[in-house]
Amino acid sequence: MQDSPDSSHGFRVGQRVHSSGDSRRIGTVKYVGPVEGYSGTWVGVDWDNGEGKHDGSVNGVQYFHAKSERSGSLVRAPNLSQGISLLEALEKRYRSKSTNDEEDEMYVLSTSNNRVSVQLVGKDKIQDKLSRFEELTNASLAYMGVSFPGIPDQINTTVPNMKELDLTGNLLSDWKDVGKICGQLPALQALNLSNNLMSPYKSELPPLESIRILVLNNTGVDWEQVELLRQSLTAIEELHLIGNNISRVLPMSSSFVQGFNSLRLLNLDDNCIAEWDEVMKLSQLRCLEQLYLNKNCLNSILYPDNGQQNELEATSYWPFQNLRCLLLGDNNIGDLVSVDSLNLFPNLVETRLSENPIADTTSGGVPRFVLIARLAKIKVFNGSEVTPRERKDSEIRYVRLVISRLHANAEEIKQHPRFSELKSLYGIEDERPSTGASGPQTIGSGFLSITLKCVGASMGEKQPLTKKLPATTTVGKLKFLCESFFKLKSLKLKLFLQEEGSPLPVLLDSDTSSLMDLGIGNESIILVDEEN
């Protein structure tokens, strides 16, 4: 508890406030009233950052229920701010003179760790331009304590040309206030309301016909609220909903989400969607080109086949017909059938599967080259371009890998839908060893040109070597050869495959696997390192 003289408060339960002197320490009022053993009125606050003192109870009396054991505080009204208007924030941000303290904060550290003051060249000209509100088109009012619009009709006359407005981390919670702000800014195209805890949408908003980009990250907005907002957002092109605990997509009057006829990008990163059926409810958004689903709980991907298409609502529109980018990083996808399903998306050229079990080679996942080979149309994978060279090398290496596995189990070919197509494309013949009177022999091009590079710290500078090696050479045998090639008898070696487009080399950790088993192709680069 923070004690100070009492004053008139005017606080109400549900109101958003911030700590006086710290506009980034934001919370929700949960209680207003007396506290046993103390005089005057107290305000109970549940802090967003969880940094309070208790769970809403003091000396055995429960005044309110905080979201965690130590996110609540009881404070005096003067220690809290109810916020300022949008216009006051504009004045404070763009017209107030910087204080001596703020000037002192502008410095860099020298090599001797001393502060060297920095003077912003042209600061007065920049400040003068920004202070001419009638010319202002972009404004950032993040964490300024904005809680209400201000005097009616004054916003439009003050900043008539505002196109982009960032209101991240303020005290707004009522959609009616948002509607008033947008209604007075007819040129507004982009609005960021992230980290404003929005109350459930109740009253009608005016049509927000000019809004093209709306950012609602960490606002508590669920899909039911999105459906209600849809009727006002008639021209929305980008909608960002990161971190809102969305687990279900709930269309208002159909099996699929309707409307959003201009929506090109939908960002649902860091939510709780676990079932692919929920994602399929977005499949009839006809302009959707980018769908972000990183950091959800998805276990699989399934694009409907023709039979399933007939079971869907009658439509001539293919699911996700215009989708070009689907990001699925950091989910729970662990099967290659899901990977292969991405080939069925009509126009998909970019995807992300990093931080999924299927891409984790240390836990039974498959390396980048296998994923690229299985994904026929992908041009950008895990954030990096798939060059024609990388695609060719990956597909050839993949075919060799499959060939080596088919020797042990011919039925495995069913698990590789692109194998026959790629084998034919590159004219690759079976290279398995055949045993004759003279012992093991290879058929086809059984030798590979491999470049070996020493990278170990204690190995010294050694020139790379390019060697012709049988495709049946095992990793263990290659380590032995490297000891001889580079005179490294006293070191325990480990080998890595350096792949084009892959951010990190791949550890070759199975001494019994051959180059062919691992799908290593001609002109590959193997890094020779030492065990720690």
Side-chain angles (χ1 to χ4, degrees):
M1 292 175 61
Q2 302 169 11
D3 203 357
S4 65
D6 190 23
S7 65
S8 58
H9 52 81
F11 289 94
R12 68 183 187 281
V13 172
Q15 183 179 5
R16 298 285 282 166
V17 295
H18 68 72
S19 179
S20 294
D22 186 358
S23 60
R24 288 179 175 268
R25 189 166 191 246
I26 300 171
T28 303
V29 175
K30 295 290 187 177
Y31 171 79
V32 180
V35 173
E36 189 175 315
Y38 296 89
S39 62
T41 300
W42 293 81
V43 183
V45 181
D46 195 3
W47 299 105
D48 291 359
N49 62 9
E51 296 178 2
K53 295 186 175 180
H54 46 70
D55 63 354
S57 63
V58 176
N59 297 329
V61 180
Q62 191 83 45
Y63 293 96
F64 63 96
H65 293 279
K67 62 178 179 289
S68 67
E69 290 184 359
R70 300 191 66 82
S71 65
S73 295
L74 284 162
V75 297
R76 292 291 195 184
N79 295 327
L80 296 172
S81 171
Q82 302 185 61
I84 58 178
S85 72
L86 177 70
L87 292 173
E88 287 176 300
L90 282 166
E91 289 282 343
K92 185 177 179 181
R93 175 69 177 82
Y94 293 107
R95 283 185 173 165
S96 63
K97 298 291 184 181
S98 57
T99 64
N100 290 333
D101 289 340
E102 289 171 336
E103 296 285 354
D104 289 343
E105 288 178 3
M106 297 180 64
Y107 65 89
V108 294
L109 292 175
S110 68
T111 53
S112 57
N113 212 35
N114 294 321
R115 290 190 181 191
V116 178
S117 297
V118 174
Q119 183 175 5
L120 182 62
V121 178
K123 183 187 72 171
D124 292 338
K125 289 183 179 179
I126 295 171
Q127 192 68 41
D128 178 62
K129 183 177 181 180
L130 292 175
S131 65
R132 295 198 295 270
F133 282 177
E134 68 278 4
E135 298 177 16
L136 199 62
T137 57
N138 303 335
S140 175
L141 302 178
Y143 296 98
M144 295 287 290
V146 176
S147 59
F148 62 101
I151 301 172
D153 300 324
Q154 199 169 19
I155 296 175
N156 177 251
T157 56
T158 304
V159 281
N161 296 305
M162 185 68 67
K163 293 181 179 179
E164 298 181 14
L165 180 58
D166 183 0
L167 291 171
T168 297
N170 281 285
L171 306 181
L172 295 166
S173 61
D174 193 331
W175 282 106
K176 189 181 296 183
D177 289 333
V178 175
K180 288 177 181 177
I181 292 170
C182 294
Q184 294 186 55
L185 296 173
L188 190 65
Q189 296 180 8
L191 176 63
N192 190 344
L193 292 171
S194 296
N195 298 329
N196 288 271
L197 189 60
M198 302 306 299
S199 300
Y201 178 80
K202 295 177 181 178
S203 57
E204 282 192 22
L205 281 178
L208 307 178
E209 297 174 354
S210 64
I211 298 293
R212 301 289 189 271
I213 301 171
L214 181 59
V215 186
L216 297 173
N217 301 336
N218 302 303
T219 56
V221 172
D222 60 18
W223 197 266
E224 288 179 300
Q225 294 292 298
V226 172
E227 285 287 322
L228 293 170
L229 288 169
R230 170 174 60 86
Q231 300 171 50
S232 295
L233 299 169
T234 55
I236 192 74
E237 295 177 7
E238 289 189 21
L239 181 58
H240 299 262
L241 298 164
I242 296 175
N244 287 332
N245 292 317
I246 295 172
S247 60
R248 298 193 64 195
V249 175
L250 299 169
M252 185 173 288
S253 59
S254 168
S255 299
F256 301 99
V257 174
Q258 303 290 331
F260 292 112
N261 294 326
S262 302
L263 188 64
R264 295 182 296 102
L265 186 154
L266 177 59
N267 189 341
L268 288 166
D269 283 352
D270 197 14
N271 279 287
C272 308
I273 300 172
E275 300 296 331
W276 187 254
D277 286 346
E278 299 301 318
V279 180
M280 284 302 300
K281 295 173 184 177
L282 304 168
S283 64
Q284 297 298 306
L285 294 173
R286 303 200 173 194
C287 288
L288 191 63
E289 296 178 0
Q290 300 178 67
L291 178 58
Y292 301 168
L293 292 166
N294 298 305
K295 294 187 178 181
N296 276 271
C297 308
L298 293 164
N299 294 301
S300 61
I301 309 164
L302 179 62
Y303 191 90
D305 58 24
N306 290 336
Q308 290 171 304
Q309 278 268 35
N310 294 334
E311 294 174 9
L312 299 175
E313 291 185 350
T315 176
S316 59
Y317 182 76
W318 284 94
F320 295 113
Q321 183 166 313
N322 290 311
L323 193 69
R324 296 178 59 80
C325 174
L326 177 60
L327 304 186
L328 295 159
D330 202 0
N331 277 275
N332 300 319
I333 298 164
D335 64 296
L336 287 168
V337 173
S338 290
V339 175
D340 296 335
S341 291
L342 295 173
N343 287 318
L344 300 176
F345 287 73
N347 290 293
L348 193 67
V349 293
E350 179 177 356
T351 192
R352 179 181 290 277
L353 292 171
S354 54
E355 298 183 76
N356 278 280
I358 193 61
D360 184 358
T361 55
T362 64
S363 302
V366 298
R368 177 183 172 94
F369 82 89
V370 170
L371 295 170
I372 288 173
R374 297 185 80 114
L375 296 169
K377 298 178 290 186
I378 295 301
K379 296 180 180 178
V380 180
F381 183 64
N382 287 347
S384 63
E385 179 188 4
V386 179
T387 64
R389 169 68 184 272
E390 185 187 11
R391 175 159 293 286
K392 180 179 179 181
D393 288 351
S394 295
E395 290 176 345
I396 291 174
R397 188 178 168 198
Y398 170 70
V399 171
R400 295 181 187 278
L401 174 65
V402 177
I403 286 174
S404 71
R405 291 181 175 176
L406 291 179
H407 301 155
N409 180 13
E411 289 294 310
E412 183 162 325
I413 195 171
K414 296 176 182 177
Q415 301 174 26
H416 303 276
R418 298 199 69 214
F419 171 69
S420 297
E421 168 201 347
L422 294 175
K423 186 170 181 286
S424 174
L425 175 65
Y426 295 109
I428 299 174
E429 298 299 327
D430 193 338
E431 297 174 351
R432 63 186 170 189
S434 62
T435 305
S438 60
Q441 299 175 350
T442 59
I443 58 176
S445 54
F447 282 82
L448 305 173
S449 177
I450 302 294
T451 298
L452 304 167
K453 292 183 178 180
C454 287
V455 296
S458 65
M459 293 178 180
E461 292 187 14
K462 297 183 183 294
Q463 291 298 315
L465 292 177
T466 300
K467 296 289 185 179
K468 288 279 189 180
L469 299 172
T472 53
T473 303
T474 65
V475 172
K477 175 68 173 176
L478 184 54
K479 288 180 181 178
F480 176 77
L481 292 172
C482 287
E483 289 177 4
S484 175
F485 293 155
F486 296 109
K487 297 181 173 53
L488 302 171
K489 297 291 185 182
S490 61
L491 297 178
K492 187 176 182 181
L493 303 182
K494 56 182 179 180
L495 305 179
F496 294 86
L497 178 67
Q498 188 174 54
E499 295 183 284
E500 182 180 351
S502 182
L504 295 172
V506 178
L507 175 64
L508 305 178
D509 56 357
S510 174
D511 282 356
T512 59
S513 297
S514 70
L515 301 180
M516 185 168 62
D517 291 338
L518 296 169
I520 295 175
N522 203 36
E523 299 182 357
S524 292
I525 298 174
I526 291 179
L527 306 180
V528 183
D529 202 353
E530 57 190 300
E531 295 280 1
N532 293 331

